[in-house]
Amino acid sequence: MPSFDDFPSPSSSSSSISSSSTTSTSTSTGAALCFARSSRTLSARALSKLVAAAAFRPPTAPRHVWFVTGPAGCGKTTTAKFLAHKLGLPFIEGDEVSRPAWTPRHTPDQPPANPPALRQFHPAMNVDKMARGIPLTDEDRWDWLRALRQKALEQLDAGAPGVLLTCSALKQKYRDVLRSAHAFHHLAIRFLFLSASEDTLLQRVKTRTGHFMKEEMVRSQLQALEPPRADETDMFAVDVNAAPGQVQQDALLLLIRVIERDRIAAAAGKERGRERGKERPA
């Protein structure tokens, strides 16, 4: 799996993020991973310049689908919402099981004429099992994964330049289902893996209110977790044991670097194609 320093800094502001370091840590499964970690906190102005550079999308640039992954309690929703806001991309919550909030004009007793649709990707049976602390099987997850993949494609078909989704994607075969979206579009499928210690995950889940994920699910998910393999080069990890502000900056800088790297590669591929075309005999 690539580390933070493997990627070129965006050319428009390379000095802003060229000073970085890579740390190595371990998940509860004992697998060593490389994590993105910025060596200093950037100013709001420097971050704004980097975000603006990432928002510019040349015609040759691929559209990115980012799956923010990891076990329960790692901060997928918080991190993905922050990234979506900064990069101006739609956000899809893979565990969403409730209606959007009522607007001030409506109350539960006086709903609108056309109430918002229930946003739920997990089948009701899955939600019930998780609420009772029963781990999901592979068979339970296939429809959920396919539904998330389809929703991402719908956002792109509607004109979105990219999309961010949350999904635990604990096993490689689950990630492979999501990767298959590449067959439908010219896409760059990427995974942001959020890693934290078991103690951190349990503490965060304990403080949740109104969520179906319980403490038992943290342990079962860690047992099922297959950390990113070395050959999963579309996965990038961030250590979320740090302070929330640092985690958000690390994740944002990492996404910007990967987006820029992918743009450079796509442009180079386009140029090579043109050169080959010139070499063909008339």
Side-chain angles (χ1 to χ4, degrees):
M1 184 177 60
S3 69
F4 192 66
D5 289 326
D6 290 336
F7 316 121
S9 303
S11 56
S12 61
S13 48
S14 59
S15 61
S16 298
I17 58 175
S18 59
S19 174
S20 62
S21 61
T22 303
T23 59
S24 180
T25 186
S26 298
T27 66
S28 61
T29 60
L33 297 172
C34 291
F35 291 93
R37 174 57 52 79
S38 175
S39 61
R40 61 191 176 90
T41 301
L42 299 183
S43 67
R45 183 178 180 183
L47 272 177
S48 295
K49 288 183 176 179
L50 291 174
V51 170
F56 173 70
R57 185 173 179 269
T60 58
R63 290 187 290 177
H64 284 78
V65 176
W66 284 96
F67 292 100
V68 181
T69 71
C74 68
K76 294 187 292 293
T77 298
T78 301
T79 303
K81 282 184 175 179
F82 169 82
L83 295 171
H85 173 72
K86 287 293 185 181
L87 296 174
L89 300 177
F91 163 70
I92 299 171
E93 169 60 78
D95 286 333
E96 181 63 77
V97 293
S98 61
R99 295 186 186 276
W102 294 101
T103 65
R105 295 176 298 153
H106 305 122
T107 67
D109 296 328
Q110 295 179 322
N114 298 305
L118 182 68
R119 298 177 296 180
Q120 180 170 324
F121 299 103
H122 271 299
M125 183 183 301
N126 286 9
V127 176
D128 179 65
K129 289 179 71 172
M130 288 186 286
R132 291 186 287 132
I134 302 174
L136 299 182
T137 65
D138 290 347
E139 289 69 26
D140 292 329
R141 296 181 184 274
W142 299 134
D143 287 344
W144 172 59
L145 294 167
R146 285 190 285 264
L148 288 177
R149 183 185 64 192
Q150 181 60 33
K151 186 62 177 179
L153 296 176
E154 289 174 2
Q155 291 283 348
L156 297 174
D157 287 340
V163 62
L164 276 138
L165 304 90
T166 57
C167 175
S168 55
L170 300 174
K171 298 181 180 181
Q172 183 178 1
K173 57 186 174 183
Y174 302 160
R175 300 189 285 267
D176 287 341
V177 172
L178 301 174
R179 286 185 178 105
S180 66
H182 185 274
F184 299 91
H185 290 264
H186 174 53
L187 302 177
I189 309 296
R190 302 289 180 259
F191 297 85
L192 181 66
F193 176 66
L194 306 182
S195 180
S197 67
E198 182 175 349
D199 288 343
T200 298
L201 297 173
L202 289 171
Q203 184 59 40
R204 290 179 178 179
V205 170
K206 283 180 182 178
T207 61
R208 283 179 172 177
T209 57
H211 198 284
F212 57 81
M213 281 289 188
K214 307 301 181 185
E215 295 174 44
E216 296 81 3
M217 293 302 299
V218 172
R219 296 186 178 91
S220 68
Q221 288 197 351
L222 287 175
Q223 291 174 356
L225 175 64
E226 295 176 3
R229 294 161 46 100
D231 59 355
E232 291 186 275
T233 56
D234 54 2
M235 295 197 72
F236 309 90
V238 171
D239 181 0
V240 297
N241 290 296
Q246 182 68 57
V247 171
Q248 290 177 349
Q249 175 177 291
D250 291 344
L252 180 59
L253 293 181
L254 178 57
L255 262 65
I256 290 172
R257 285 196 172 189
V258 175
I259 290 170
E260 181 69 6
R261 181 206 65 171
D262 290 344
R263 287 177 179 174
I264 291 171
K270 189 81 170 180
E271 182 62 28
R272 286 193 299 270
R274 283 196 294 263
E275 292 298 325
R276 286 195 294 269
K278 293 178 182 179
E279 295 171 358
R280 292 173 183 169

